[in-house]
Amino acid sequence: MEKKILIAVDDSVHSNYAIQYASKIAEYVKNVRFTIFHVQPTISQYLLDEAEKNPKARAELGKVIAKNSGVGRNLLASFKEKMVRKGISDESI
């Protein structure tokens, strides 16, 4: 039976420890899949409301969302790379 482990990450040292711990688990537990999960910061309701009325605010909000998305993707890619370097197969993440 396949085991599944969800690892919530951010840019904290605790996330690094969680990735290290999960990588250690993989040495002893076979047939395990990992999901690395990151939640982007919440966008202020004020900014969302303002973006509906003001095209300039809409453009700025688009930049913020794109930046948050990029940071999240980079963070997930970094943690995945760390796990692969520790010997976990790419398909298991």
Side-chain angles (χ1 to χ4, degrees):
M1 182 171 159
E2 183 178 74
K3 287 119 182 110
K4 298 175 184 173
I5 298 176
L6 175 67
I7 308 167
V9 296
D10 57 15
D11 61 350
S12 71
V13 68
H14 305 293
S15 293
N16 281 313
Y17 291 145
I19 293 295
Q20 289 175 8
Y21 183 76
S23 298
K24 276 289 190 197
I25 287 174
E27 293 176 17
Y28 302 101
V29 178
K30 300 304 173 204
N31 201 18
V32 63
R33 284 185 89 60
F34 297 95
T35 300
I36 306 171
F37 182 78
H38 173 71
V39 176
Q40 292 183 14
T42 306
I43 302 294
S44 158
Q45 188 62 46
Y46 171 78
L47 290 175
L48 294 172
D49 292 343
E50 195 63 30
E52 288 180 16
K53 298 182 256 178
N54 183 340
K56 188 174 179 180
R58 186 176 308 123
E60 288 301 314
L61 180 61
K63 290 178 188 177
V64 169
I65 291 171
K67 179 184 174 206
N68 287 346
S69 182
V71 167
R73 276 194 213 99
N74 291 340
L75 189 69
L76 292 171
S78 169
F79 283 124
K80 182 176 181 179
E81 181 183 318
K82 286 180 185 182
M83 292 179 82
V84 169
R85 280 195 318 247
K86 298 265 185 190
I88 298 172
S89 72
D90 199 26
E91 299 82 34
S92 294
I93 304 170

